[in-house]
Amino acid sequence: MRRHSVNRPPTPDAGDEQEKELTVQEKINIKLIESGEKERLMNLLRERLIECGWKDEMKAICRAFIKKKGRNNVTVDDLVHLITPKGRATVPDSVKAELLQRIWAFLNANAI
């Protein structure tokens, strides 16, 4: 039996099925990462969310929840579960539109 590294997936055996084809989403994600565009988009998103007050709003919701439940009774998972739906729902449409426009421009420029 072959041992597998913890840091990478096991190498398929010669008899294994042919590796599955990457999806379009996976190909786009790889291109975004390789070009550095994903990091630029993430930085832009952070900036826009700070500018519009979204980050402060989410922070206030978390603080209120912690105050209500008690500091020692709240886990990070509790906060993630609380904030994720509200956070996604309250991202301003203008921020979503700007990011979408940037992604489309990247896709067009890279013929994906």
Side-chain angles (χ1 to χ4, degrees), residues 7-107:
N7 298 323
R8 63 180 170 79
T11 306
D13 293 330
D16 286 350
E17 285 184 33
Q18 188 177 18
E19 195 172 320
K20 76 170 192 158
E21 184 69 25
L22 292 175
T23 65
V24 173
Q25 184 176 353
E26 290 168 332
K27 289 177 184 178
I28 291 170
N29 195 41
I30 289 167
K31 280 279 195 188
L32 286 167
I33 292 168
E34 288 176 347
S35 68
E37 185 65 16
K38 186 170 185 175
E39 187 64 29
R40 287 187 288 277
L41 289 169
M42 293 298 290
N43 288 335
L44 175 65
L45 177 60
R46 278 186 205 95
E47 288 174 22
R48 296 299 185 258
L49 292 176
I50 290 168
E51 288 170 3
C52 73
W54 180 92
K55 183 179 176 185
D56 291 334
E57 182 183 343
M58 296 302 109
K59 192 185 298 184
I61 292 169
C62 289
R63 285 185 176 171
F65 183 75
I66 292 168
K67 188 175 181 179
K68 178 182 173 186
K69 294 287 186 177
R71 180 179 225 162
N72 296 327
N73 300 323
V74 177
T75 65
V76 171
D77 286 341
D78 293 336
L79 292 174
V80 168
H81 183 72
L82 167 76
I83 210 72
T84 299
K86 176 127 180 93
R88 286 184 179 160
T90 58
V91 173
D93 289 340
S94 60
V95 173
K96 293 176 189 177
E98 182 179 3
L99 284 170
L100 187 58
Q101 186 276 327
R102 291 275 302 263
I103 292 168
W104 276 115
F106 173 82
L107 295 176

